[in-house]
Structure formats: structure tokens, C-alpha cells
Amino acid sequence: DIISTVEFNYSGDLLATGDKGGRVVIFQREQENKSRPHSRGEYNVYSTFQSHEPEFDYLKSLEIEEKINKIRWLPQQNAAHFLLSTNDKTIKLWKISERDKRAEGYNLKDEDGRLRDPFRITALRVPILKPMDLMVEASPRRIFANAHTYHINSISVNSDHETYLSADDLRINLWHLEITDRSFNIVDIKPVNMEELTEVITAAEFHPLQCNVFVYSSSKGTIRLCDMRSSALCDRHSKFFEEPEDPSSRSFFSEIISSISDVKFSHSGRYMMTRDYLSVKVWDLNMESRPVETHQVHEYLRSKLCSLYENDCIFDKFEGCWNGSDSAIMTGSYNNFFRMFDRSTRRDVTLEASRENSKPRASLKPRKVCTGGKRKKDEISVDSLDFNKKILHTAWHPAENIIAVAATNNLYIFQDKVN
Amino acid sequence: MEFKLEAHRIVSISLGKIYNSRVQRGGIKLHKNLLVSLVLRSARQVYLSDPCPGLYLAGPAGSPAVSPPQPGEPAAGPPAGWGEPPPPAARAAWPDAEPRPERLAGSAEPAAPMTGAGDTPRGGETEAAEAAWRCVEGPREAAEGGAGGPAGGSDGFPEGPRGARGPCGCPPGTEERPGPLGACPRLDCCCAPRPAEDEPPAPPAVGSRKRGAAGVGGGPGDCPAPGSSPRKKPRRNSEEQPGGAATAEEEEEEMETGNVANLISIFGSSFSGLLRKSPGGGREEAEGEESGPEAAEPGQICCDKPVLRDINPWSTAIVAF
């Protein structure tokens, strides 16, 4: 099924993917094998479970898709792993735990589970734990439902590890992980008169270090930073980030391409990255007037906006991610291409996630899109790009140079070549 | 001129998207529909501001949703028949008939939020459309006086006393969707009803098919004569209209309810006879973009540039009278 979200956990040992069918598949990194020192730990399937099912809202005659929109891991606090997964309407907290021991020697029941007749028990014994084949179980521990009228687009766990936020088109709610029947609404941009609606919330995230700060991006290309200490309802932002529009590049589709599809804080918390249709921007939280960096992802598409509008590609929501040291940013494009920008060297590279064009363990060859004039060998012309092969979701290991790239229904994992 | 064509195309594509959004799984996506409506507004503004008299004849038909034929409408100002101002912009444009909702309830589209939805508050999305719609009145009114007036009476809509009269002096057409230009049996008649065909070709045909599928089929009320349908004030669902792609939903609902009926078919009729949906093969490059007809999206006007260019001589002739 089509992968709809990809997320590493805090240690990077686990990689979770959600798909359009409501399933979550978790991969675990194998421990390094001394006998094969050249191959670093590979990721293998660890657990698979059905997180969400399609539902039908009878009151509104609406079908609720089971597609997983986002997965966010909780920091690990004990042997079990916890993650939040959400579809359009409901967020679920899942516990993924391992079971590798089994108790044997019960007094009241046989080995096969049948109850023993108490009168026949003549002696008591203490059950002992015996090893068994590893079993990974996923169980829903909390279900946070009925808090969103519009489609949920983001969830973000707070650095306090107790609360998290969920954002839909018009509202952001704050939850406590333990409490499912209540949530606090902290942002509400729904106008009294819906006819006056001009923008919607497209993404939201908590600051990685300051538990009172979060940001949310809008369809108008703006980002608002809010401080929950200032008021209970954060309709008034503390900071407002917007880059003035360049009037010379105005077109019918200016508004669409300026809509921000993703916002992510850097690990340091000093910067944030926003992704709009054609570019990735890095903002310094201390400067609201304009981004500190702008990286073009696929500027050659600017002249094709009308066609992309017709085939709906212009509405694709690309995500972006930081590497562990915040020195690089990655985001996806079309034709199974993805782009990496090195902030320090100001270099960028285009790579392709495709089985046909790269052998396992072989280095990825940089790709180039020819934008006009003579097409060099190995270059691809804009018109030959396959717009059905889009990479919307990517993730970067929190510490190492390992990346996960979702290409439609395939997951690619790339890592730095070990010398 | 080029901009106008492009704008017209974008308008029709946008409407097609809005129309399709109601049958998409998961309900109407507010964000996407908001963006589409913004594009719609921009395109309409360009379309209406581009000074190209020849196209005004085709134009208004292209900007048809704006004025649902309302025989009884007052001549001046935004057709009162449109109901009240702003919010109902879209509503005004597509007044719905009483029986529709019930019929819709029985419709086969499970995902369409029309039934339970009641009506959705429109967003600024509509406001855009609305502003755009309103603009149409400007040129039309301005032009009314002169024979050379583009939109004069040539928009083809039986606007009632005013518009339809126009330069050619024809009485307001009685047809629901009078075709402009090509539809006129006489070159010099700007508002005569459509020629042979009762229904415009391809795109509109698709449109009407859609209508039928949506449960509009059957019954006399399918396409009530414009203006004859009772104007129902959509119930405002105060809240919680999920994916309330306000405009979209409302528009679609009301489109389905007949009267001005299928916006898309109207758009299609604007170039009736002159446009055809060329099957895939007719790709043309325009300004570096692929403007060729692509796969069927109802309401998507696939026009060949040469065909559109031919409109001009006709319109000039018509205007002259």
C-alpha cells in the first residue's frame, strides 16, 4: 500500500511507517554483526499491525479514511515502545512490547490452558519463566477521538513527554497522554463566518526543547510561533514569520505554491525548516522578516504549474527533515527523486530512489534534471519526469547518516558507505 | 487574449475539481478546496479584466455561473435573484431548488456530504468566487448601452429584461442554457437559443451524466427553468462541517439541485460546437505548458487554440450588430 508517513524513533533503532490502508509497519535495526563488519545494521520488519480502520460518520454521511497521516514516537521510558498514530480524525497511542518468555507450571491450569480441577491439586509449585520465540505485540493503550472536526494534519509530542498537540485545518488541540476524554483547544482560526476563511493550518510542531513553544504553518505561507505561557488560547501569536512575496513571480498559482506543507524544528531548536511547493526555507527563530536560507527543490516546475494544477500534483504535500547535526536538509520531489541540501557547504544533490537505477549496496549516482537547451547524457528532461512517482515522505536517522525514503509503496533505506 | 483563454480554462478546471471533491473518499478537503477557490478567483479576475471584447461574448457564458437565468430579475445590479449578498455568493450563483436535498439524500454517492451536511458555511473561498461573479455585472452593465457592448446581451443568458435584449433586440431566450456564439442560429443574433443541440457536447454531456448519477435524474425538476426554482436559503450548519469546503460543498449541492444546474455544463456550453474534447491526441504546447486536453475531468474544457481563435471573427460580427 502507499506509504503515507515515515518516522525514526529517538534512538534511530526503530523506523515506523504508516500507509493508506491504516497499517503501521515497524522496522528494527539489527545489531551489528561481527562476522559481517562491512554491513552495518540493516532494518528488518519488527512489527506490523492495523492501526486504524475505515469508519463512517453516519451523522454527516462521511467516510473517514483509515490512512495514517502521521506517526510520532514517544521517548522510551521502559522496555516497551510507544508511538502515536493518527488518521483524519482519531489519534491512537500504541504500545509495542516484546515477549520472549513464557510462564510455565501454573497450578490452576494445564500447559494447554485447560483449568485443572482444584480438588486434584495435591502439591503447589512456583511457575517458572521459560524462553520462547520473540513475539512483538502491539496494543492500543489510548484512543483520542472526537476532538477534531476537520482533517488532522499533524501531531507533535511535547518535550515534557506528557502532552502532545494535534492540529487540523482550523484548530490545534493540546492533549495529555494519559487523558483521552478531554483536550484543550489552544489555537482556533475558524472565522465566525466561514465565508471569511482565507487560510488554514497546514502543519504544527512543538519546540524540541521549550515545552511552552510551538509553531504552526498556514496555507498562506506564514508561520506563527506561539507561547502557551502567554494565554490559554494562543490565537495571538508571539512571532509571525513571513517572507514578502515577489511580485514579479505572481501567477494564478502563487497562492498554492506558497502554501507550506511541512514545518520542522532543527534539533537545536534554533531554526525551523518550511517546505512549500517549489522550495525549502530555513528560518532563524530570531528573525521573522525572512528566511535565512532558501533552497530550490525543483524550480524547473515553475513553468509547468498549470499542468501540475490540472493533474493535481500542485497539491502534493512534501515533507522535509533535518539530519542529526542540523547541517543538512532533505526533501522529496518527483520521478522518485529526492534532494539533500548541505547548509554548510551550500551544496545540494539530487538522488533517485529506484530499484531499476541502482543496485543494492551500490552508491547512488547524483541525478540531474535538464531544464532546457541541450540535454546532456544522463540528464533527464523535465518533460520525461514521472509525476506519479513522488517522494513525499522522508526521514533521517537522529544520529547517523541513514535515511528512509518512501517512494509510493516502497521504502528505501540508504546509509553512508562504510569504508 | 491568451490570458483570457488560459483563465477561462483554469476556471473550468477549478470548477471541475470542486465538483469532484465531493465524491472523494474521506470527505471534502478544506485546504485543497480553499486553494482551488483562490485560483478560481484569480482566474476570474484576469478573465474579466482582460480587455478583449471579442471574448466577452463567449466569456459571460464562460462566466455563466454568475448569472443564473432569472427572467424576473431586475435589470440592474447583481441579480437580486441571487439572493443576498456576500455569503451566498456561491449560493446566489447556484440557487437550489427545494426538492433537491431530499433527492440527493437518495443519491448514490456515499461520500458526498450533501445530505447530512445541510449546508456548509462558505469560506473565503466563496468570497473570492463571489467577488469574481460580481465583477461580471460590471462589464455587462457597462456594455449594455452600446451596440458594441461586449457582454451586452450576448451572454446568452436569458437574463430577463436586461441582458438578453442586447444589441440584437432578441427577446430573452427561453432556453436554460442558451449557447452563445456558436449556438446562435444567426450570426447576428447574440442570444438566440442554442442551435440544434439541446445539450452542449462533450464536457457538458459529461456534466449532465454526472448530474444524473448524482441522483438528480428523474422527475421534472431536473433542470427547472432558471429562475423558476424556488430560492431556498441553505441552512447554515453553524459548525462542524467536516472538511467544510464550504463553497465547494455548497456549490455542488446547489449545482445538483438543478436550475442553473450543472455549472460545468454551462461552461461547456459557452463554446458549444466550437470546442471539442479531442481525445488525447490533440496536445498543443502553449507557453511551455501542456495545454492539450487531458483525461476527462468533467467541466474541463479542452479547447483547441485554433478553434478558439476562430471565435473572434464571429464575435466581431455579432457585436457589430
Side-chain angles (χ1 to χ4, degrees), chain A residues 9-28:
Chain A
N9 73 338
Y10 281 75
S11 64
D13 279 344
L14 296 177
L15 175 66
T17 61
D19 65 26
K20 267 188 92 171
R23 265 181 313 271
V24 171
V25 179
I26 301 178
F27 299 84
Q28 185 186 46

Side-chain angles (χ1 to χ4, degrees), chain B residues 118-140:
Chain B
D119 95 278
T120 315
R122 321 272 161 138
E125 320 133 57
T126 320
E127 175 206 19
E130 162 212 342
W133 301 143
R134 287 245 174 108
C135 291
V136 175
E137 297 311 279
R140 197 146 11 102

Side-chain angles (χ1 to χ4, degrees), chain A residues 377-406:
Chain A
K377 184 168 102 82
D378 280 354
E379 279 188 0
I380 299 180
S381 76
V382 182
D383 297 313
S384 345
L385 293 175
D386 187 344
F387 290 95
N388 291 318
K389 294 186 181 165
K390 50 191 90 169
I391 291 181
L392 304 174
H393 312 286
T394 58
W396 205 312
H397 190 285
E400 301 182 35
N401 279 343
I402 301 173
I403 57 174
V405 173

Side-chain angles (χ1 to χ4, degrees), chain B residues 20 32 69 118 192 233 235 239-240 253 290:
Chain B
N20 282 336
K32 182 177 176 186
K233 201 170 179 132
R235 220 175 354 102
E239 258 256 314
E240 307 6 0
E253 244 178 344
E290 288 177 13

Side-chain angles (χ1 to χ4, degrees), chain A residues 60-63 66 149-151 171 190 194-195 197 219 252 256 259 303-304 306-307 309-310 312 317, chain B residues 6 9-10 13-14 17 25-26 31-32 87 115 121-124 236 239-242 288-289 300:
Chain A
K60 294 162 186 164
S61 292
L62 276 186
E63 190 180 6
E66 67 277 28
T149 305
Y150 301 96
H151 297 325
R171 299 194 177 97
K190 184 175 188 229
M194 270 297 267
E195 296 123 22
L197 180 73
S219 56
F252 287 125
I256 299 188
S259 175
S303 55
K304 310 263 176 220
C306 193
S307 314
Y309 178 70
E310 279 183 71
D312 271 1
K317 297 189 184 175
Chain B
E6 190 63 23
R9 189 160 147 264
I10 290 173
I13 292 169
S14 303
K17 287 189 192 301
R25 218 175 149 235
H31 183 199
K32 182 177 176 186
T115 52
R122 321 272 161 138
R236 290 263 153 168
E239 258 256 314
E240 307 6 0
Q241 191 45 45
E289 294 175 352
Q300 187 164 334

